Amino acid sequence: MTCHEGELTVHGELATLRFERRLAHPVAAVWAAITDPVQRGQWLGATTIADGFIEMTPNGPPYP
């Protein structure tokens, strides 16, 4: 399944959700927003990353 929201691929009981976006921010700022837990929480909502899995509780993007 592919649409402007993302691409969903299901293999048995595992699902992969892939997003691609062009952001008007420097690469370093975007990388920090993904890798820094505090910033990631501000951008994506609460996240837990463990054992190669990401669990997210989205709260919406920090932009209009």
Side-chain angles (χ1 to χ4, degrees):
M1 169 188 215
T2 302
C3 61
H4 72 279
E5 286 92 19
E7 178 181 342
L8 175 65
T9 306
V10 179
H11 297 283
E13 294 185 18
L14 296 177
T16 301
L17 183 57
R18 180 178 178 272
F19 294 95
E20 182 176 324
R21 299 288 185 266
R22 305 276 184 221
L23 302 173
H25 302 284
V27 171
V30 175
W31 184 248
I34 294 168
T35 58
D36 180 297
V38 173
Q39 289 191 43
R40 187 174 55 246
Q42 293 172 351
W43 278 74
L44 303 172
T47 59
T48 302
I49 300 175
D51 301 322
F53 294 93
I54 301 173
E55 183 177 331
M56 296 174 45
T57 304
N59 63 1
Y63 50 85

